Amino acid sequence: MKKSVKILWRVAFGFLALLVLFVLLINFRVIGSMPSMEELENPRAALAAEVIADDGTILGKYYQVDRSSSDYNEISKNVINALIATEETRFYDNSGIDAKGTLAIPFYLMIGKKRGSSTITQQLALNLRADNQGKQRSNNPIGRAFQKVQEWIIAVKLERNFTKQEILTLYLNTVAFGDNVYGIENGARTFFSKDAGHLSIEEAAILVGMLKGNTIYNPRRNPKDALIRRNQVIDNMQKAGFITPAEAASAQSKPIVLHYNKIDHNKGLAPYFREVLRDELKAWCKNHKKADGSEYNLYRDGLKIYTTINPRMQLYAEEAVAKHLAVLQKSLNAQNDVKTGSIWKKWPKFLDQYMKESDRYKALKEDEVDDSAIVRIFNTPTRMKVFGWKSATEPDLNEIDTVMTPMDSIKYTRAILQAGFMAMDPESGEVKAWVGGPDFRYFKNDHVAKTRRQVGSTFKPFLYCFAIMNGMSPNTVLPNEPININGWTPHNSEGSTGGSITMAGALAKSLNLVAAYLIKQIGAKPFADFAKNKVGFSSDIPAYPAIALGAVEISLYELLQGYTMFPARGINTKPIYITRIEDRNGNILETFAPVKREVISEREAYTMVKMMEGVVAPGGTGARIRSRYNIQGEIAGKTGTTNDNTDGWFMGYTPKILAGAWVGCENNFIHFSTTAIGQGANTGLPIWAYFMQKVYADPTLKISTNDHFPVPANMSEDDIYMNYDSNVKPGAESENVGNGSADDYGSGDASDYATPGADKTETTPPPAPAPKPKEEQKDKPKATMPPPPKKND
């Protein structure tokens, strides 16, 4: 044998030996970062966490990539057939590497054509490697060649450890369908609003066709290209013998019909709730470990979070908030100080602050634009989109194309009314609906749990309850006379004074003078202790007399928890919105049970229920529930209005549902100028009423006007009798004329809540601190007591 031939053979064998050694080193993870055998046997494709409503529907997801998982028998045969016909007809005949296709590559390269040779198993290997290591396909030829060897090795291992069905399933669970959607189940739900098991031939062909280019062949973005690609896939299915020519012709003749429903954290039901829940779940993941000792990952581990939210109630709540805010906003916009922008003359520092917090300002500063030029830009009209009420049922329509200066857009946005609404089962504690604001796309601040505002007269039921516990009766007659407590002289809103009234009547009419009389008799410190240590408010409850009028800042969420003791027969129940958390395999990781404790007796609770029924009876501040909204059945509640109509509240409950609403602006100094419009009976109450109209009309919810508050066994008719009469001469009942209701006499001004000598510094930070309560009165003297709320206007 010639020497040159020997050298050639030696080089060939040497190259082959090096190649084998190279493959072995990669296989045994000496070089590179091959997934371990355990990782291949238990592939961990990142799965989105799912937030699930009480009826099993998906409210939303938390993900970095939106992926879901299906079993083989949950995937339509049409999808499997389309995939094999289009991606690899010899799938069942190879062991992970298509030898013919691989050997043909050089020939195709020589004639200037590009040919893919990756089998479905190799593509799965690429997907798993990218998912486990966070590495995508390399653009460097040498790096790509190295990756290719890794994919071959992984493909062979996958073929040895999984059946063909399992490989197909894994592949379809990891592929991308564009729009940040991964997995066949997610693709089916996103583009066709159905599960993967019910995809038709043409729908399956659309999704499989997208695998070649999920942007080019995206039917939402490029319908023409998608149609051509779909029909090609259908041709492939016919040629492979999966469908008949007639079936192919029928499928190809149909237009593309999408039912696109991309789950977006800004859209869908309960976005505010989902965002609050996200923060809680992040903390949960940090405090809980998997079997390997690592923390759970909210975005990758496929957690299933089962919640108490009822989709129907949630929809009714969102529609109720939108319906009423759209009407109220017109009144606020028509107000002269808001319409002209003059309300900002006293608060220029906040305009400057909001300007500097804007994305526009930050972008200009990054471009090194000087301050004077930025001011000119912010005062130059420009085209923009802003939030505006157009539809209560179609949030996507609530966007306005307009021309205004960026500075005017700040003023406009800050004057948009905000709201919070939550509904729950008072006995089980299950939260059924949660609306944290008007539109999560534009306003991220949650006004259910994240915001504390002064609660005004909605706090009075706790004062009256404490009085009942201390020996008073609903029919005890109290004076409606001017009062002075160490210099503090509160007033009723419409100037009513003189005469006397029963406790039940005073609560129904929300008279501040009577509440002040009670706090003087009972003592501010004992009442504050009761609210903090017995009812369980975590918010600061300072022991000064103005707390009788609700001069405390509490979140809607916490206030609702406090109210549970009335309809729940004396039991305080912490709201609960998660029932259990499962891992991706359905194993229960944790269950959640309501936290309950007895606060008052069943007799005291029922007494308060009967007293609070007077609020919605003729002459009560919430009487319009009956007269204007025609809601029947047993209802109890309380209106609330803080000073200068800054915050409007309504807390109401039936035997089976407790709900509360708050309405106001982010900044305390932007508010309604008249009590007729700004009181809680006109701002918060209608939201509650619209919600309950829908709830009562929905038989599936099993909440009826025939429901009754259970009467304790030890109570007699005399105990239950409530006398709401009085000889008090109320002031003018402005907008309530003809409704049979009284104005919310608790909406006084800041002086009714102040303490003499207190610091008068104006403080109104951006998402405004809560204003001073003032539930129904008119501005008068200043008082003197411990730290009262600061004057906001």
Side-chain angles (χ1 to χ4, degrees):
M1 185 181 293
K2 290 182 179 181
K3 187 176 180 180
S4 59
V5 175
K6 288 182 179 179
I7 292 173
L8 183 62
W9 277 108
R10 285 175 183 172
V11 171
F13 279 116
F15 178 77
L16 183 61
L18 285 174
L19 181 61
V20 172
L21 178 62
F22 181 64
V23 170
L24 289 173
L25 290 174
I26 293 176
N27 181 55
F28 291 108
R29 307 171 73 191
V30 176
I31 60 174
S33 53
M34 279 279 293
S36 67
M37 196 64 191
E38 182 181 357
E39 288 172 325
L40 291 177
E41 290 176 346
N42 301 281
R44 294 180 55 229
L47 292 181
E50 296 179 340
V51 180
I52 301 169
D54 69 352
D55 65 351
T57 60
I58 297 176
L59 284 174
K61 298 181 180 182
Y62 304 122
Y63 55 82
Q64 289 169 335
V65 293
D66 188 3
R67 176 182 285 141
S68 60
S69 183
S70 299
D71 293 332
Y72 183 83
N73 59 9
E74 295 174 331
I75 302 172
S76 168
K77 195 67 176 174
N78 293 322
V79 175
I80 303 296
N81 293 340
L83 177 65
I84 292 173
T86 303
E87 293 292 321
E88 187 187 359
T89 55
R90 293 193 293 270
F91 173 72
Y92 291 106
D93 301 325
N94 63 53
S95 297
I97 300 175
D98 185 353
K100 290 182 181 179
T102 302
L103 292 173
I105 291 177
F107 172 74
Y108 277 90
L109 290 175
M110 284 169 47
I111 62 175
K113 290 186 177 180
K114 188 176 180 181
R115 172 191 169 95
S117 64
S118 293
T119 63
I120 289 175
T121 311
Q122 284 177 259
Q123 292 177 51
L124 172 60
L126 173 64
N127 293 344
L128 291 178
R129 182 183 58 78
D131 193 78
N132 278 295
Q133 300 172 10
K135 296 179 181 178
Q136 302 302 317
R137 185 191 299 264
S138 175
N139 292 322
N140 182 292
I142 296 175
R144 182 63 193 131
F146 184 81
Q147 287 181 343
K148 199 70 177 177
V149 174
Q150 285 185 316
E151 290 164 20
W152 286 342
I153 296 170
I154 295 172
V156 171
K157 288 187 174 184
L158 288 171
E159 289 282 349
R160 288 180 178 176
N161 289 277
F162 294 98
T163 66
K164 289 290 187 179
Q165 284 187 354
E166 289 171 332
I167 289 171
L168 286 173
T169 304
L170 276 172
Y171 176 77
L172 286 168
N173 283 334
T174 58
V175 290
F177 291 101
D179 294 356
N180 199 27
V181 170
Y182 289 73
I184 187 63
E185 181 68 21
N186 240 15
R189 291 190 180 278
T190 298
F191 288 93
F192 301 109
S193 294
K194 59 170 62 175
D195 58 71
H198 292 89
L199 291 169
S200 64
I201 292 173
E202 60 273 15
E203 290 167 343
I206 280 283
L207 293 176
V208 170
M210 290 172 69
L211 300 181
K212 186 177 181 180
N214 54 44
T215 299
I216 297 174
Y217 301 117
N218 187 314
R220 184 175 64 88
R221 299 182 180 184
N222 303 303
K224 290 183 179 179
D225 291 336
L227 181 64
I228 294 170
R229 177 62 179 162
R230 181 201 73 174
N231 289 345
Q232 179 59 56
V233 173
I234 294 172
D235 276 338
N236 295 340
M237 295 174 72
Q238 180 195 333
K239 290 174 184 176
F242 292 125
I243 57 176
T244 66
E247 288 174 323
S250 174
Q252 289 177 331
S253 68
K254 296 176 182 177
I256 293 177
V257 179
L258 297 180
H259 296 284
Y260 191 82
N261 183 29
K262 176 75 168 72
I263 292 180
D264 182 331
H265 75 281
N266 279 321
K267 298 180 180 180
L269 285 176
Y272 288 94
F273 168 74
R274 286 185 274 120
E275 194 61 23
V276 171
L277 182 62
R278 182 202 300 266
D279 292 339
E280 185 166 327
L281 291 170
K282 283 181 180 177
W284 184 92
C285 287
K286 282 186 174 295
N287 296 323
H288 291 77
K289 308 294 183 183
K290 291 181 280 190
D292 61 5
S294 62
E295 295 177 359
Y296 280 97
N297 187 312
L298 180 61
Y299 304 104
R300 295 177 59 85
D301 287 337
L303 297 176
K304 289 180 170 53
I305 300 96
Y306 290 85
T307 73
T308 61
I309 296 294
N310 180 280
R312 300 176 79 87
M313 286 196 191
Q314 180 65 35
L315 179 62
Y316 300 154
E318 292 180 6
E319 290 180 348
V321 169
K323 180 177 181 178
H324 190 54
L325 285 190
V327 174
L328 278 180
Q329 191 66 54
K330 292 178 182 178
S331 297
L332 186 62
N333 290 346
Q335 207 168 274
N336 188 60
D337 57 353
V338 174
K339 187 176 182 179
T340 63
S342 62
I343 196 167
W344 290 95
K345 289 181 178 178
K346 293 182 181 179
W347 310 96
K349 62 180 181 178
F350 290 122
L351 282 179
D352 184 63
Q353 176 182 337
Y354 299 143
M355 177 183 74
K356 291 178 178 178
E357 290 174 350
S358 70
D359 292 337
R360 186 188 302 270
Y361 180 89
K362 292 173 183 176
L364 291 170
K365 292 299 286 185
E366 286 178 5
D367 292 338
E368 299 182 349
V369 179
D370 64 70
D371 290 343
S372 60
I374 290 177
V375 171
R376 284 197 302 273
I377 291 170
F378 267 80
N379 286 282
T380 301
T382 184
R383 182 166 293 282
M384 63 179 70
K385 292 180 184 290
V386 296
F387 172 81
W389 286 111
K390 288 185 177 180
S391 173
T393 56
E394 297 292 335
D396 288 343
L397 300 179
N398 294 326
E399 191 170 68
I400 299 173
D401 286 304
T402 187
V403 174
M404 64 171 68
T405 70
M407 187 59 74
D408 283 340
S409 75
I410 291 174
K411 296 176 183 178
Y412 171 85
T413 300
R414 301 302 296 188
I416 296 293
L417 283 167
Q418 303 294 305
F421 180 85
M422 189 177 109
M424 63 181 290
D425 181 321
E427 297 214 31
S428 70
E430 293 185 352
V431 175
K432 297 300 180 183
W434 181 306
V435 184
D439 191 310
F440 188 72
R441 295 173 301 169
Y442 294 89
F443 309 100
K444 303 297 186 187
N445 196 19
D446 172 73
H447 294 293
V448 171
K450 299 292 186 180
T451 303
R452 289 181 175 180
R453 301 292 288 240
Q454 284 200 349
V455 295
S457 291
T458 57
F459 203 63
K460 287 178 182 174
F462 302 106
L463 173 67
Y464 282 76
C465 179
F466 191 55
I468 294 292
M469 295 170 68
N470 281 276
M472 293 190 182
S473 157
N475 298 317
T476 298
V477 178
L478 302 175
N480 180 49
E481 300 287 351
I483 191 169
N484 185 314
I485 306 177
N486 298 328
W488 178 57
T489 57
H491 296 75
N492 289 330
S493 172
E494 300 302 330
S496 67
T497 185
S500 58
I501 190 171
T502 63
M503 276 182 56
L507 181 61
K509 296 179 183 296
S510 201
L511 298 175
N512 283 346
L513 291 178
V514 177
Y517 176 85
L518 277 175
I519 198 75
K520 185 175 184 179
Q521 303 304 310
I522 294 170
K525 188 176 187 311
F527 175 52
D529 289 342
F530 168 72
K532 286 280 289 183
N533 303 321
K534 192 73 172 175
V535 180
F537 287 112
S538 61
S539 301
D540 183 35
I541 312 288
Y544 58 84
I547 60 176
L549 310 186
V552 291
E553 297 177 356
I554 300 174
S555 70
L556 175 60
Y557 177 90
E558 191 176 5
L559 189 58
L560 278 161
Q561 178 177 344
Y563 264 68
T564 58
M565 68 185 192
F566 301 129
R569 301 190 293 278
I571 304 298
N572 179 295
T573 306
K574 183 178 180 179
I576 180 175
Y577 40 79
I578 306 175
T579 55
R580 71 182 186 277
I581 298 175
E582 294 181 356
D583 65 15
R584 66 175 66 197
N585 298 315
N587 299 312
I588 296 177
L589 302 177
E590 186 171 358
T591 57
F592 299 81
V595 178
K596 299 185 176 188
R597 56 192 178 78
E598 185 174 358
V599 176
I600 57 178
S601 70
E602 184 177 0
R603 181 188 180 96
E604 290 161 344
Y606 188 74
T607 299
M608 287 306 303
V609 168
K610 299 305 290 182
M611 287 181 68
M612 293 170 75
E613 284 181 334
V615 172
V616 298
T621 58
R624 66 184 69 189
I625 277 185
R626 309 287 194 188
S627 60
R628 182 178 298 179
Y629 299 103
N630 195 33
I631 297 179
Q632 304 306 313
E634 295 191 9
I635 301 169
K638 186 69 192 76
T639 56
T641 316
T642 64
N643 62 290
D644 301 313
N645 312 300
T646 304
D647 303 279
W649 296 81
F650 183 73
M651 306 291 288
Y653 55 90
T654 73
K656 290 184 178 178
I657 195 79
L658 164 66
W662 165 86
V663 174
C665 284
E666 292 278 15
N667 295 92
N668 298 337
F669 54 82
I670 304 177
H671 50 73
F672 289 105
S673 57
T674 67
T675 299
I677 299 175
Q679 64 178 308
N682 193 59
T683 57
L685 182 149
I687 295 174
W688 192 94
Y690 289 139
F691 171 74
M692 288 305 299
Q693 283 176 345
K694 291 284 188 72
V695 168
Y696 278 138
D698 189 339
T700 67
L701 299 177
K702 299 179 180 178
I703 295 175
S704 167
T705 55
N706 295 321
D707 297 332
H708 298 285
F709 292 108
V711 182
N714 60 345
M715 294 194 77
S716 65
E717 286 296 322
D718 289 339
D719 294 326
I720 297 171
Y721 171 71
M722 296 287 151
N723 177 13
Y724 303 113
D725 293 336
S726 70
N727 62 1
V728 171
K729 294 181 179 180
E733 295 181 2
S734 57
E735 40 102 36
N736 291 307
V737 174
N739 284 325
S741 60
D743 274 335
D744 192 0
Y745 292 136
S747 56
D749 61 33
S751 65
D752 291 313
Y753 302 83
T755 9
D759 179 16
K760 302 277 224 83
T761 309
E762 294 176 326
T763 50
T764 316
K772 293 23 285 159
K774 137 212 185 191
E775 268 234 277
E776 296 143 351
Q777 20 206 305
K778 265 212 184 266
D779 214 311
K780 288 300 167 238
K782 310 164 178 122
T784 324
M785 343 216 117
K790 304 199 174 134
K791 182 169 176 164
N792 344 293
D793 271 288

